[in-house]
Amino acid sequence: MKTMEGKKVLITGGLGFIGSNLARKCVKLGAKVTIFDCLDPRSGGNLYNIADIAESVQVSYHNILDFDQVSQVVPEKDIIFSCASSTSHAFSMREPWIDSDVNSKGVINLLEAVRRFNQKAKFVHLGTSTQLGKLSYQPADEKHPEFPTDIYSANKSVSEKYTLIYSKAFNICSTVIRLSNVFGPRACIHSSEFTFNNYFIGLALQGKNITVYGDGRQIRNVLYVDDAVSAMVLAAQSKASKGEVFFAVGDEHFSVAEIAEATVKHLGKGTVIYVDWPIGKKATDVGDAILSNKKIKDLLGWTQETNLESGFAQTKAYYENCLKEYLR
């Protein structure tokens, strides 16, 4: 991975899980980092996430829905990472207008600011594997059709298309990195509104039982956060990534039951309890989600470096001394 010495980097949603880990990596590589975040509690932002790098970053406490504020931080940046989003699938079904504002309009604000004030910037946007919906073939690759089953996933699909449109129409150097169930330090672990496997981690660290719907046989992909961050940085540094979409996903796939059992084994003292699906919940479940990471390996040279067991070990070590900061 190349140095980022002297590069001016903007990270929207930089106080959140992935954004804060990305900020630490960019600082380590020598970048001058600006974090743009409104600390919306529905998105999992946490000031403690940057406690160790607070003196090395600049924080702008504003909302991506405010175009004027966005326009003030976009100029002169070399790299812009679009990490800000409303991340809850369930919340998006309850409040579709809010989800649409953040996950669609907010991204348009960023892209339009880039078009008007900084077309030379590299723009890396985070997508999600769930925007595919139920898979018609497996392993799914970047050419798989998209039929999302919830509002969050639909809006992430739309914002991805905005990113690609701006890349082609205005010659902006844009890339989309689709992620799937990222876990690790600095995640929002106190609520089921966020990624299911990080909620499992929070329960296990408290010695509580983990509840799995049905038999938990549906297959998922999980990825340690450092590997997700390395994919984003590589995309920002590569000329070959312009206008491209990549799945940054792990090499192995696990059932939800296997993930739950492994979480208890490595992080907690509780047990896994299997219950019937709640009414309406199964309708938005995508079933098995087996994904291919061949493209990002071939084009960017990315590799997964942390397996599930090692990721759990590092996650446990992080939260041991600061768990209370993530249970509020």
Side-chain angles (χ1 to χ4, degrees), residues 68-222:
D68 289 338
Q69 293 295 341
V70 170
S71 298
Q72 290 183 26
V73 295
V74 162
E76 299 184 359
K77 297 299 187 294
D78 298 297
I79 303 169
I80 298 170
F81 291 104
S82 172
C83 301
S85 68
S86 179
T87 58
S88 170
H89 297 262
F91 178 79
S92 77
M93 301 299 284
R94 298 193 303 268
E95 298 288 347
W97 296 279
I98 294 175
D99 189 273
S100 181
D101 280 346
V102 177
N103 291 332
S104 293
K105 181 182 177 180
V107 177
I108 281 285
N109 281 345
L110 273 171
L111 289 165
E112 189 60 16
V114 171
R115 182 185 74 84
R116 295 185 187 186
F117 309 118
N118 189 5
Q119 289 193 20
K120 294 182 179 180
K122 174 70 183 191
F123 188 87
V124 180
H125 178 65
L126 287 189
T128 174
S129 64
T130 63
Q131 63 194 65
L132 300 188
K134 295 182 183 295
L135 301 187
S136 57
Y137 64 85
Q138 301 181 46
D141 56 18
E142 291 80 1
K143 295 181 179 179
H144 191 286
E146 298 175 47
F147 296 96
T149 62
D150 62 82
I151 300 299
Y152 162 79
S153 300
N155 284 322
K156 293 297 285 185
S157 178
V158 168
S159 62
E160 173 183 295
K161 304 308 176 286
Y162 292 156
T163 300
L164 299 177
I165 288 169
Y166 271 73
S167 181
K168 186 174 182 179
F170 304 116
N171 198 31
I172 292 170
C173 193
S174 302
T175 306
V176 177
I177 301 293
R178 293 176 179 172
L179 299 174
S180 178
N181 303 312
V182 179
F183 74 100
R186 300 173 186 84
C188 193
I189 59 174
H190 72 276
S191 171
S192 60
E193 292 285 307
F194 302 93
T195 311
F196 82 93
N197 51 323
N198 283 312
Y199 182 53
F200 285 179
I201 288 170
L203 293 172
L205 289 171
Q206 297 174 78
K208 296 181 178 179
N209 295 333
I210 293 174
T211 299
V212 171
Y213 299 141
D215 56 19
R217 291 184 182 177
Q218 62 270 40
I219 303 299
R220 293 290 182 268
N221 192 283
V222 295

